[in-house]
Amino acid sequence: MQAAVSEAMPMEVRRYSDAPFVEVVQDIAPVQFRLGLRHHRDCEKRDRVKRLFTESEGLVMSRLPPIVPAVLISCWAATAAFAQPIHTDPRYYRVTGVAADDVLNIRSAPTASAEIVGKFEPGAQPVEVLDTDKGWARVIIGEGMGWASADYLEPIQMSPIGDSTLPAGLLCAGTEPFWSLHIDRESVTYSAAGAEDRVMSVVKADGFAGAGPGTNFVIASGEGSSITAVVSNQRCSDGMSDRDYPRRIDVVLSGADGVTGLTGCCRVPVN
C-alpha cells in the first residue's frame, strides 16, 4: 500500500512525502519564527505545493508529520499584514519654514508638479515619515499616502513609552471587529464598537532581548482588564485604505468577557 500511494503522487509531491521532516519544513514551509509563527515568505512555492496537494487528493497530507500541514494551512490563511517586509524605524518631524497663513502641500508623487492630495499646517507635528526620495518625504495623509518636501521638515525626538523604543501617542487599529488602541507613556486606552472604552495603566514597556530595537512589548492593566501587545517595525496594511503603516501590532486582551487575540497596524497621527 505504501508503494501504491507513493507511485500515485506526482514526482514532486512524492519527493516531499519521502523526505525527512526537517527537509520538508525547510523546503516547502520556510517560516520566520519571531514571537511565534509568521507568514510564509515564498508565495510561489507555497501555491505550487498547495496545487500539488490538491491534485494528489491530499494523499501526501496523511504522510507528512502533523505540523507540516498546519504550517502550510497557517500560511495560506495569513492576512496581507503578515506578507509585508520588515521596515526600519520611521522618523518624526515638525513642519517648519511655512508662514502662518500658508500650508505645506502634500503631493501624490515626489515632485513639485504632482497633484496636491493634502496639506499640513505650520508647526504640525509629529509628522511620521516612512520613506524618503531625493528631498521628498513619504507620509500618511487622509486615507492614503503622499509626499512632502523635506526642506520644510525639521527632525524631532519622540518621548518613548517606558523602556521601549516605541513613541508615545501610538495609535493602533484593526478590523473584524473594528477596534483601536491608544498607547501613551502611562496609559493604554482600548476602544471597540458598541462597548465602553477600557483605560489601563502601563505596567511594563520594553524590547525583546536579542530582537533589536524594532520589536517591543507593552503590558497594561486596570478596570478588570489586562492587555499584552507586541509591536514590530513592519510595514502593515489595514486592508481597507491605501495607507502604509510603519508598524504592526499583535494583542492579547483579557477581561470579564474572556480572552481575545487581535492584529492591527500602528501609526503616530499628526496633532
Side-chain angles (χ1 to χ4, degrees):
M1 180 64 179
Q2 176 91 3
V5 171
S6 181
E7 290 173 3
M9 299 177 188
M11 182 178 296
E12 191 170 13
V13 176
R14 195 181 315 148
R15 176 169 64 83
Y16 288 134
S17 70
D18 294 335
F21 167 65
V22 173
E23 291 183 12
V24 173
V25 173
Q26 290 177 342
D27 194 15
I28 67 175
V31 293
Q32 177 188 4
F33 284 95
R34 176 180 292 180
L35 312 175
L37 183 66
R38 288 296 187 246
H39 184 66
H40 187 295
R41 293 178 295 176
D42 188 346
C43 293
E44 181 178 353
K45 186 176 291 184
R46 173 203 65 191
D47 293 339
R48 172 166 51 82
V49 174
K50 181 181 179 182
R51 185 181 66 254
L52 289 171
F53 281 159
T54 302
E55 292 173 354
S56 60
E57 298 180 351
L59 290 175
V60 71
M61 283 289 194
S62 64
R63 299 279 306 284
L64 294 174
I67 186 62
V68 178
V71 168
L72 290 170
I73 290 169
S74 296
C75 293
W76 300 335
T79 62
F82 282 94
Q84 303 293 340
I86 299 297
H87 184 254
T88 57
D89 282 333
R91 306 300 182 190
Y92 296 93
Y93 297 82
R94 178 177 69 89
V95 174
T96 186
V98 177
D101 59 349
D102 203 354
V103 296
L104 175 60
N105 288 324
I106 312 300
R107 299 185 180 272
S108 61
T111 173
S113 61
E115 177 188 3
I116 296 175
V117 295
K119 63 183 180 180
F120 286 147
E121 299 293 333
Q125 65 173 333
V127 175
E128 191 171 53
V129 172
L130 281 70
D131 304 292
T132 57
D133 184 3
K134 299 177 182 178
W136 292 83
R138 188 164 179 258
V139 299
I140 292 176
I141 188 74
E143 294 299 307
M145 305 299 297
W147 294 85
S149 173
D151 292 338
Y152 298 95
L153 296 177
E154 177 183 55
I156 60 173
Q157 294 294 322
M158 299 291 289
S159 299
I161 302 171
D163 295 319
S164 75
T165 59
L166 298 174
L170 199 63
L171 179 62
C172 307
T175 59
E176 298 181 6
F178 288 94
W179 59 273
S180 66
L181 197 68
H182 184 266
I183 309 176
D184 223 327
R185 296 185 65 184
E186 298 182 354
S187 65
V188 172
T189 303
Y190 171 78
S191 302
E196 293 186 4
D197 289 355
R198 305 185 199 182
V199 180
M200 293 160 271
S201 299
V202 173
V203 176
K204 180 68 175 177
D206 206 342
F208 289 86
T215 306
N216 295 268
F217 67 86
V218 178
I219 300 173
S221 65
E223 296 188 0
S225 300
S226 65
I227 198 165
T228 299
V230 177
V231 184
S232 54
N233 287 10
Q234 181 178 348
R235 284 191 186 273
C236 186
S237 170
D238 59 19
M240 298 184 66
S241 71
D242 293 324
R243 292 172 176 170
D244 279 341
Y245 295 81
R247 293 181 172 92
R248 66 162 284 149
I249 186 170
D250 297 285
V251 177
V252 177
L253 174 68
S254 300
D257 53 350
V259 179
T260 304
L262 302 166
T263 297
C265 302
C266 303
R267 66 187 179 102
V268 178
V270 177
N271 294 330

